[in-house]
Amino acid sequence: MTRQRSMFLQAGASRGFTRAALFTLTALSLAGCGGGSMLGGSSGSESSIGSRFSQLFGSKSQAVGEPAPTAAEQAADAQLTCPAVAIRAGASTLAVGAPGKPASGEDLRYQVTITRTARDCNLNGGQITARIGIEGRVIVGPAGAPPTVDIPVRVAVVQEGVGDKVIFTKAYRTSVAMGANGESTVYSFVAEDVIYPAPKGDAGDQYVFYIGFDPNGLKPEAAPRRHRSKARAG
């Protein structure tokens, strides 16, 4: 389990995910990192977000907990398998506390959840280009949320088996403006640059799109140390 979690949280890792409930996504917004788009709004904009979500994915979205659409329903091309979406165990919610405080009780600033998912796939030149969408809500806690909330998300393509193989993994960050009166806010995100080689034969049946919140995925790397040159003896 430790290996599975570290793989999800680190972009360069190569294996290990925990299978969770299958879902399918939706989205609309403008991501802080390339390859995604994001839209957030107050609870009053929930219907418009849902409407635009439907424009992107049509009937290819579902609420968390609903069974995923079959590959036949997702792909018009008989040669194309569009994997189901799974939320990684332990990564379905993101809770943030006040600085230096635990994210619980009166110290909870906000909690981000995933309520709906969707995906679609296209085959071109031996590669699959997929769009993975997430819709959810930012719930304001007792400590009060900041005006803008950053949402870190990781999307991965995994071939499951005796030794799970990571085909694609990327961390994204999106931002959503909170309501002026401290209201909970609906958000939506779509990763548009999920590209990987088309699997051969029945291997595609083992592929899964994994998603989840990844607060460590976009931490800046430590700057390399500079080696001081020794002064030459005179």
Short mmCIF file of all heavy atoms in Angstrom, two decimals, residues 134-173:
data_model
loop_
_atom_site.label_atom_id
_atom_site.label_comp_id
_atom_site.label_asym_id
_atom_site.label_seq_id
_atom_site.Cartn_x
_atom_site.Cartn_y
_atom_site.Cartn_z
N ILE A 134 -13.47 16.05 -14.23
CA ILE A 134 -13.86 15.94 -12.82
C ILE A 134 -14.78 17.11 -12.47
O ILE A 134 -14.49 18.25 -12.81
CB ILE A 134 -12.65 15.98 -11.88
CG1 ILE A 134 -11.66 14.87 -12.23
CG2 ILE A 134 -13.07 15.85 -10.42
CD1 ILE A 134 -10.32 15.02 -11.52
N GLU A 135 -15.86 16.80 -11.80
CA GLU A 135 -16.74 17.84 -11.26
C GLU A 135 -16.88 17.60 -9.77
O GLU A 135 -16.95 16.46 -9.32
CB GLU A 135 -18.11 17.78 -11.93
CG GLU A 135 -19.04 18.93 -11.55
CD GLU A 135 -20.37 18.83 -12.29
OE1 GLU A 135 -21.20 17.99 -11.88
OE2 GLU A 135 -20.57 19.56 -13.27
N GLY A 136 -16.88 18.68 -8.98
CA GLY A 136 -16.97 18.50 -7.54
C GLY A 136 -17.38 19.78 -6.84
O GLY A 136 -17.91 20.70 -7.45
N ARG A 137 -17.08 19.81 -5.55
CA ARG A 137 -17.49 20.95 -4.73
C ARG A 137 -16.41 21.29 -3.72
O ARG A 137 -15.75 20.40 -3.18
CB ARG A 137 -18.80 20.61 -4.00
CG ARG A 137 -19.37 21.75 -3.16
CD ARG A 137 -20.68 21.32 -2.52
NE ARG A 137 -21.72 21.14 -3.52
CZ ARG A 137 -22.49 22.11 -4.00
NH1 ARG A 137 -22.32 23.36 -3.58
NH2 ARG A 137 -23.43 21.86 -4.88
N VAL A 138 -16.22 22.58 -3.47
CA VAL A 138 -15.35 23.06 -2.40
C VAL A 138 -16.26 23.49 -1.26
O VAL A 138 -17.05 24.42 -1.40
CB VAL A 138 -14.47 24.25 -2.86
CG1 VAL A 138 -13.54 24.67 -1.73
CG2 VAL A 138 -13.68 23.89 -4.10
N ILE A 139 -16.15 22.80 -0.13
CA ILE A 139 -17.00 23.06 1.03
C ILE A 139 -16.22 23.88 2.04
O ILE A 139 -15.14 23.49 2.48
CB ILE A 139 -17.47 21.73 1.66
CG1 ILE A 139 -18.20 20.89 0.61
CG2 ILE A 139 -18.36 21.98 2.87
CD1 ILE A 139 -18.48 19.47 1.05
N VAL A 140 -16.77 25.02 2.43
CA VAL A 140 -16.10 25.93 3.36
C VAL A 140 -16.20 25.39 4.78
O VAL A 140 -17.27 24.97 5.23
CB VAL A 140 -16.70 27.34 3.27
CG1 VAL A 140 -16.00 28.28 4.26
CG2 VAL A 140 -16.58 27.88 1.86
N GLY A 141 -15.07 25.40 5.51
CA GLY A 141 -15.03 24.93 6.89
C GLY A 141 -15.19 26.05 7.89
O GLY A 141 -15.28 27.22 7.53
N PRO A 142 -15.20 25.70 9.18
CA PRO A 142 -15.38 26.71 10.24
C PRO A 142 -14.33 27.80 10.24
O PRO A 142 -14.60 28.94 10.62
CB PRO A 142 -15.32 25.87 11.53
CG PRO A 142 -15.67 24.48 11.11
CD PRO A 142 -15.13 24.33 9.72
N ALA A 143 -13.07 27.47 9.84
CA ALA A 143 -12.00 28.47 9.86
C ALA A 143 -12.07 29.42 8.68
O ALA A 143 -11.35 30.42 8.65
CB ALA A 143 -10.63 27.76 9.89
N GLY A 144 -12.92 29.14 7.70
CA GLY A 144 -13.08 30.03 6.56
C GLY A 144 -12.06 29.80 5.46
O GLY A 144 -10.87 29.68 5.73
N ALA A 145 -12.55 29.73 4.24
CA ALA A 145 -11.68 29.48 3.09
C ALA A 145 -11.10 30.79 2.56
O ALA A 145 -11.69 31.86 2.73
CB ALA A 145 -12.47 28.79 1.98
N PRO A 146 -9.94 30.74 1.89
CA PRO A 146 -9.37 31.94 1.26
C PRO A 146 -10.19 32.34 0.04
O PRO A 146 -11.03 31.56 -0.42
CB PRO A 146 -7.97 31.48 0.88
CG PRO A 146 -8.09 30.01 0.68
CD PRO A 146 -9.09 29.55 1.70
N PRO A 147 -9.96 33.52 -0.52
CA PRO A 147 -10.72 33.96 -1.70
C PRO A 147 -10.55 33.04 -2.89
O PRO A 147 -11.47 32.88 -3.70
CB PRO A 147 -10.16 35.35 -1.99
CG PRO A 147 -9.59 35.82 -0.69
CD PRO A 147 -9.06 34.58 -0.03
N THR A 148 -9.37 32.45 -3.04
CA THR A 148 -9.08 31.54 -4.14
C THR A 148 -8.51 30.24 -3.58
O THR A 148 -7.64 30.28 -2.70
CB THR A 148 -8.09 32.14 -5.14
OG1 THR A 148 -8.62 33.37 -5.65
CG2 THR A 148 -7.82 31.18 -6.29
N VAL A 149 -8.99 29.12 -4.09
CA VAL A 149 -8.54 27.81 -3.62
C VAL A 149 -7.83 27.09 -4.76
O VAL A 149 -8.34 27.02 -5.88
CB VAL A 149 -9.74 26.97 -3.13
CG1 VAL A 149 -9.34 25.51 -2.93
CG2 VAL A 149 -10.30 27.55 -1.84
N ASP A 150 -6.62 26.59 -4.48
CA ASP A 150 -5.89 25.77 -5.45
C ASP A 150 -6.27 24.31 -5.26
O ASP A 150 -6.33 23.82 -4.13
CB ASP A 150 -4.38 25.92 -5.27
CG ASP A 150 -3.87 27.27 -5.74
OD1 ASP A 150 -4.51 27.85 -6.64
OD2 ASP A 150 -2.85 27.74 -5.22
N ILE A 151 -6.52 23.61 -6.37
CA ILE A 151 -6.92 22.20 -6.32
C ILE A 151 -5.88 21.38 -7.08
O ILE A 151 -5.80 21.47 -8.32
CB ILE A 151 -8.31 22.01 -6.94
CG1 ILE A 151 -9.33 22.90 -6.23
CG2 ILE A 151 -8.73 20.54 -6.87
CD1 ILE A 151 -10.73 22.83 -6.82
N PRO A 152 -5.07 20.59 -6.38
CA PRO A 152 -4.07 19.75 -7.04
C PRO A 152 -4.67 18.39 -7.41
O PRO A 152 -5.25 17.70 -6.58
CB PRO A 152 -2.98 19.59 -5.98
CG PRO A 152 -3.75 19.65 -4.68
CD PRO A 152 -4.94 20.55 -4.92
N VAL A 153 -4.53 18.01 -8.66
CA VAL A 153 -5.12 16.77 -9.17
C VAL A 153 -4.05 15.97 -9.90
O VAL A 153 -3.18 16.56 -10.56
CB VAL A 153 -6.29 17.06 -10.14
CG1 VAL A 153 -6.86 15.78 -10.72
CG2 VAL A 153 -7.38 17.84 -9.42
N ARG A 154 -4.09 14.65 -9.78
CA ARG A 154 -3.23 13.81 -10.61
C ARG A 154 -4.11 12.87 -11.44
O ARG A 154 -5.09 12.31 -10.94
CB ARG A 154 -2.25 12.97 -9.78
CG ARG A 154 -1.33 12.12 -10.67
CD ARG A 154 -0.20 11.49 -9.88
NE ARG A 154 0.76 12.46 -9.39
CZ ARG A 154 1.74 12.97 -10.13
NH1 ARG A 154 1.89 12.60 -11.40
NH2 ARG A 154 2.58 13.84 -9.62
N VAL A 155 -3.73 12.72 -12.71
CA VAL A 155 -4.39 11.80 -13.64
C VAL A 155 -3.35 10.79 -14.11
O VAL A 155 -2.23 11.18 -14.45
CB VAL A 155 -5.00 12.56 -14.85
CG1 VAL A 155 -5.58 11.57 -15.85
CG2 VAL A 155 -6.06 13.54 -14.38
N ALA A 156 -3.71 9.52 -14.12
CA ALA A 156 -2.77 8.49 -14.55
C ALA A 156 -3.49 7.44 -15.37
O ALA A 156 -4.69 7.20 -15.19
CB ALA A 156 -2.09 7.83 -13.35
N VAL A 157 -2.75 6.83 -16.28
CA VAL A 157 -3.23 5.67 -17.03
C VAL A 157 -2.41 4.48 -16.55
O VAL A 157 -1.18 4.50 -16.61
CB VAL A 157 -3.05 5.85 -18.55
CG1 VAL A 157 -3.59 4.63 -19.30
CG2 VAL A 157 -3.74 7.12 -19.02
N VAL A 158 -3.10 3.46 -16.03
CA VAL A 158 -2.41 2.31 -15.45
C VAL A 158 -2.89 1.02 -16.11
O VAL A 158 -4.10 0.82 -16.30
CB VAL A 158 -2.66 2.23 -13.93
CG1 VAL A 158 -2.01 0.98 -13.33
CG2 VAL A 158 -2.15 3.48 -13.24
N GLN A 159 -1.94 0.17 -16.47
CA GLN A 159 -2.28 -1.18 -16.93
C GLN A 159 -2.17 -2.10 -15.72
O GLN A 159 -1.09 -2.33 -15.19
CB GLN A 159 -1.33 -1.64 -18.04
CG GLN A 159 -1.67 -3.04 -18.58
CD GLN A 159 -0.73 -3.48 -19.70
OE1 GLN A 159 0.23 -2.78 -20.03
NE2 GLN A 159 -1.00 -4.63 -20.27
N GLU A 160 -3.30 -2.61 -15.29
CA GLU A 160 -3.32 -3.44 -14.10
C GLU A 160 -2.94 -4.88 -14.42
O GLU A 160 -3.17 -5.37 -15.53
CB GLU A 160 -4.69 -3.38 -13.45
CG GLU A 160 -5.03 -1.99 -12.93
CD GLU A 160 -6.21 -2.00 -12.00
OE1 GLU A 160 -7.17 -2.73 -12.30
OE2 GLU A 160 -6.17 -1.28 -10.98
N GLY A 161 -2.37 -5.53 -13.44
CA GLY A 161 -1.95 -6.91 -13.60
C GLY A 161 -1.17 -7.35 -12.39
O GLY A 161 -1.28 -6.76 -11.31
N VAL A 162 -0.38 -8.41 -12.54
CA VAL A 162 0.45 -8.89 -11.44
C VAL A 162 1.38 -7.78 -10.95
O VAL A 162 1.55 -7.56 -9.75
CB VAL A 162 1.26 -10.13 -11.87
CG1 VAL A 162 2.19 -10.57 -10.74
CG2 VAL A 162 0.32 -11.26 -12.26
N GLY A 163 1.97 -7.07 -11.89
CA GLY A 163 2.74 -5.88 -11.57
C GLY A 163 2.16 -4.70 -12.32
O GLY A 163 2.35 -4.59 -13.53
N ASP A 164 1.41 -3.83 -11.65
CA ASP A 164 0.77 -2.71 -12.33
C ASP A 164 1.81 -1.84 -13.03
O ASP A 164 2.90 -1.60 -12.51
CB ASP A 164 -0.01 -1.85 -11.33
CG ASP A 164 -1.21 -2.59 -10.77
OD1 ASP A 164 -1.54 -3.66 -11.30
OD2 ASP A 164 -1.80 -2.09 -9.80
N LYS A 165 1.46 -1.36 -14.21
CA LYS A 165 2.37 -0.57 -15.02
C LYS A 165 1.76 0.80 -15.29
O LYS A 165 0.65 0.90 -15.80
CB LYS A 165 2.67 -1.28 -16.34
CG LYS A 165 3.63 -0.52 -17.25
CD LYS A 165 3.89 -1.29 -18.54
CE LYS A 165 4.82 -0.55 -19.47
NZ LYS A 165 5.03 -1.30 -20.75
N VAL A 166 2.49 1.85 -14.95
CA VAL A 166 2.02 3.21 -15.19
C VAL A 166 2.36 3.59 -16.63
O VAL A 166 3.53 3.65 -17.01
CB VAL A 166 2.66 4.20 -14.21
CG1 VAL A 166 2.16 5.62 -14.51
CG2 VAL A 166 2.33 3.82 -12.78
N ILE A 167 1.34 3.87 -17.43
CA ILE A 167 1.52 4.24 -18.83
C ILE A 167 1.67 5.75 -18.97
O ILE A 167 2.43 6.24 -19.81
CB ILE A 167 0.34 3.74 -19.68
CG1 ILE A 167 0.09 2.23 -19.44
CG2 ILE A 167 0.57 4.03 -21.16
CD1 ILE A 167 1.28 1.36 -19.80
N PHE A 168 0.95 6.48 -18.15
CA PHE A 168 0.95 7.95 -18.21
C PHE A 168 0.61 8.46 -16.82
O PHE A 168 -0.24 7.89 -16.12
CB PHE A 168 -0.11 8.44 -19.22
CG PHE A 168 -0.37 9.93 -19.20
CD1 PHE A 168 0.26 10.77 -20.10
CD2 PHE A 168 -1.25 10.49 -18.27
CE1 PHE A 168 0.01 12.14 -20.09
CE2 PHE A 168 -1.51 11.85 -18.25
CZ PHE A 168 -0.87 12.68 -19.17
N THR A 169 1.27 9.53 -16.39
CA THR A 169 0.91 10.18 -15.12
C THR A 169 1.29 11.64 -15.18
O THR A 169 2.37 11.98 -15.70
CB THR A 169 1.58 9.49 -13.91
OG1 THR A 169 1.19 10.19 -12.71
CG2 THR A 169 3.09 9.50 -14.03
N LYS A 170 0.43 12.49 -14.70
CA LYS A 170 0.71 13.94 -14.73
C LYS A 170 -0.08 14.64 -13.63
O LYS A 170 -1.24 14.31 -13.37
CB LYS A 170 0.34 14.54 -16.09
CG LYS A 170 0.71 16.03 -16.21
CD LYS A 170 0.48 16.57 -17.61
CE LYS A 170 0.85 18.03 -17.72
NZ LYS A 170 0.65 18.57 -19.08
N ALA A 171 0.59 15.58 -12.99
CA ALA A 171 -0.05 16.39 -11.96
C ALA A 171 -0.55 17.70 -12.56
O ALA A 171 0.11 18.28 -13.43
CB ALA A 171 0.95 16.69 -10.83
N TYR A 172 -1.70 18.14 -12.11
CA TYR A 172 -2.31 19.39 -12.57
C TYR A 172 -2.67 20.24 -11.36
O TYR A 172 -2.86 19.72 -10.26
CB TYR A 172 -3.59 19.13 -13.37
CG TYR A 172 -3.41 18.25 -14.59
CD1 TYR A 172 -3.43 16.86 -14.48
CD2 TYR A 172 -3.25 18.81 -15.87
CE1 TYR A 172 -3.29 16.05 -15.59
CE2 TYR A 172 -3.11 18.00 -16.98
CZ TYR A 172 -3.12 16.62 -16.83
OH TYR A 172 -2.98 15.82 -17.95
N ARG A 173 -2.79 21.53 -11.58
CA ARG A 173 -3.28 22.41 -10.53
C ARG A 173 -4.26 23.39 -11.13
O ARG A 173 -3.96 24.03 -12.14
CB ARG A 173 -2.12 23.16 -9.86
CG ARG A 173 -2.62 24.18 -8.81
CD ARG A 173 -1.46 24.79 -8.06
NE ARG A 173 -0.84 23.80 -7.19
CZ ARG A 173 0.44 23.83 -6.83
NH1 ARG A 173 1.23 24.77 -7.30
NH2 ARG A 173 0.92 22.92 -6.02
#
